[in-house]
Amino acid sequence: MRIVIAEDLLLLRDGLIRILTDTGHEVLAAVDNGPDLERAVAEHRPDLSIVDVRLPPGFRDEGLRAALAIRAEHPGAAVLILSQYVERSYAVDLLADGDGAVGYLLKDRVTSLDDFLDAIDRVAAGGTAMDPEVVRQLFARNTRDRGVAALTVREREVLALVAEGLSNSAISAALSLAAVSVEKHITNILAKLDLPPDADSHRRVRAVLAYLNR
């Protein structure tokens, strides 16, 4: 995979470069600010951009704004945001276009290399990879929604994992459920949320996230 990185911390930036190159990916550019990120993406057209939210000079949301500009200029461009903080508004902005190919992970919660590599694969393939805390905050703003309120406890667990971007097989493993049980739960969830059934897992995840993001 061809990747561009935007991270202002030298050690973290170099660490990402090493991890990615050691696992067979090509890092086309590694920058420390938003304008350079936008230029690198325009020049290289990477398969994925990994972006820190807070970049120079203001260390507020420069990385996020650059990521949104990239997706506006290059529709469908895959972007994985890395942040130290949960900002629901950031996730809302990223998900607003409904195109998928986005991720939002918290730096201090990325504890498994395999999970991180799986996340970049999902996002680059057009899927999503959302930190559980981001999903929890999306749920929190929908507690009074009739569709969400109608879900059973198990269906809420399954819905949360769907929203994170996990496949049916990964949900089966995470909850120790048979594949047929996961399919049944997902069918019930989509019906209760009045969402159309869809065999394409990426479209299904986007529909669920769009629902929670209303």
Side-chain angles (χ1 to χ4, degrees):
M1 191 185 306
R2 303 165 64 254
I3 298 174
V4 165
I5 297 170
E7 168 59 60
D8 66 294
L9 296 177
L10 175 63
L11 293 180
L12 182 53
R13 187 169 66 244
D14 286 353
L16 283 170
I17 293 171
R18 177 167 295 185
I19 287 171
L20 293 169
T21 54
D22 285 351
T23 52
H25 301 295
E26 180 184 3
V27 177
L28 303 169
V31 302
D32 65 358
N33 62 82
D36 283 349
L37 170 63
E38 293 183 51
R39 283 190 287 269
V41 170
E43 177 182 352
H44 298 291
R45 299 297 178 91
D47 301 313
L48 175 71
S49 298
I50 299 176
V51 183
D52 184 15
V53 167
R54 300 187 176 187
L55 294 174
F59 295 99
R60 291 186 295 273
D61 61 354
E62 288 83 356
L64 176 73
R65 286 190 280 109
L68 293 173
I70 287 167
R71 285 175 64 82
E73 182 70 22
H74 311 283
V79 174
L80 176 61
I81 293 289
L82 289 178
S83 177
Q84 290 180 303
Y85 311 95
V86 178
E87 292 285 354
R88 187 183 59 78
S89 61
Y90 294 168
V92 168
D93 289 343
L94 277 173
L95 296 168
D97 61 17
D99 288 339
V102 296
Y104 188 119
L105 300 180
L106 296 182
K107 292 179 180 179
D108 61 357
R109 289 165 59 106
V110 179
T111 58
S112 165
L113 178 58
D114 287 342
D115 288 348
F116 176 68
L117 295 175
D118 177 65
I120 68 174
D121 285 342
R122 292 207 311 270
V123 173
T128 60
M130 308 302 289
D131 186 273
E133 181 60 22
V134 176
V135 172
R136 189 194 67 77
Q137 291 204 13
L138 290 175
F139 263 100
R141 69 198 296 261
N142 284 274
T143 54
R144 297 182 180 180
D145 181 88
R146 291 178 60 186
V148 173
L151 300 177
T152 66
V153 173
R154 178 61 87 183
E155 287 169 350
R156 284 172 178 255
E157 291 175 341
V158 172
L159 178 58
L161 296 178
V162 170
E164 289 174 31
L166 271 63
S167 65
N168 285 15
S169 59
I171 294 172
S172 297
L175 298 179
S176 299
L177 291 175
V180 66
S181 296
V182 172
E183 278 291 349
K184 182 178 179 180
H185 284 308
I186 290 176
T187 298
N188 291 340
I189 290 166
L190 294 177
K192 290 180 180 180
L193 300 185
D194 197 27
L195 295 173
D198 200 323
D200 184 287
S201 61
H202 292 336
R203 288 198 297 266
R204 189 171 62 200
V205 172
R206 291 200 293 271
V208 167
L209 286 170
Y211 183 95
L212 295 175
N213 200 30
R214 295 185 307 178

